Amino acid sequence: MDAKEQDIAIGCRTLIYVDGSHLARDVLSDAVLAWNLLKPGGIPEVVNEGGFLTMTLTKRPGVSYEVQSAGTLLPALPDSFSAASTTVIINDATVLKVRDNFLIGAERGRFMRVKVTVAP
């Protein structure tokens, strides 16, 4: 394989961002296709821990992370994505563990995402 072929090979991506259709069937299709491109451990673990959505990340040097949660995927609403709606549980040199501040089931739906910034 040349470098270009390796770049799109199965299981080679650490993070995949899909900005596509919001129809349920399309979101499911995009998720299934993207899953096959991820390296093992490429997706941050999000689990129900003590009734809260909780995300655990393995940190890398030179990278900053901000975990955000929301009750909607729509921007510019009171319950849009924000780090203020999360609680940091662990933040050491190798691990970042953050939970949502709302109990699962207390809201209609909850979402978590991580913003990743690489130092220049």
Side-chain angles (χ1 to χ4, degrees):
M1 265 192 275
D2 65 26
K4 190 168 188 107
E5 288 172 326
Q6 287 178 343
D7 193 41
I8 61 169
I10 300 299
C12 71
R13 298 282 189 202
T14 301
L15 174 70
I16 295 177
Y17 176 77
V18 178
D19 185 13
S21 167
H22 292 255
L23 297 174
R25 69 175 184 273
D26 295 334
V27 172
L28 179 59
S29 174
D30 288 342
V32 169
L33 293 171
W35 182 263
N36 290 325
L37 297 174
L38 284 168
K39 290 180 182 179
I43 294 179
E45 179 184 19
V46 179
V47 297
N48 174 348
E49 191 172 284
F52 297 93
L53 283 179
T54 304
M55 180 184 289
T56 304
L57 302 162
T58 301
K59 294 167 64 175
R60 299 180 75 175
V63 179
S64 63
Y65 304 87
E66 180 182 86
V67 177
Q68 302 173 339
S69 63
T72 180
L73 295 176
L74 300 173
L77 293 176
D79 201 20
S80 295
F81 279 105
S82 170
S85 57
T86 64
T87 298
V88 175
I89 299 168
I90 299 172
N91 188 10
D92 62 25
T94 59
V95 175
L96 175 62
K97 184 174 184 177
V98 181
R99 74 163 174 83
D100 188 14
N101 289 341
F102 294 87
L103 282 168
I104 294 172
E107 298 274 324
R108 244 177 76 183
R110 295 298 296 170
F111 307 92
M112 292 187 85
R113 72 178 182 186
V114 60
K115 289 178 71 173
V116 179
T117 307
V118 178

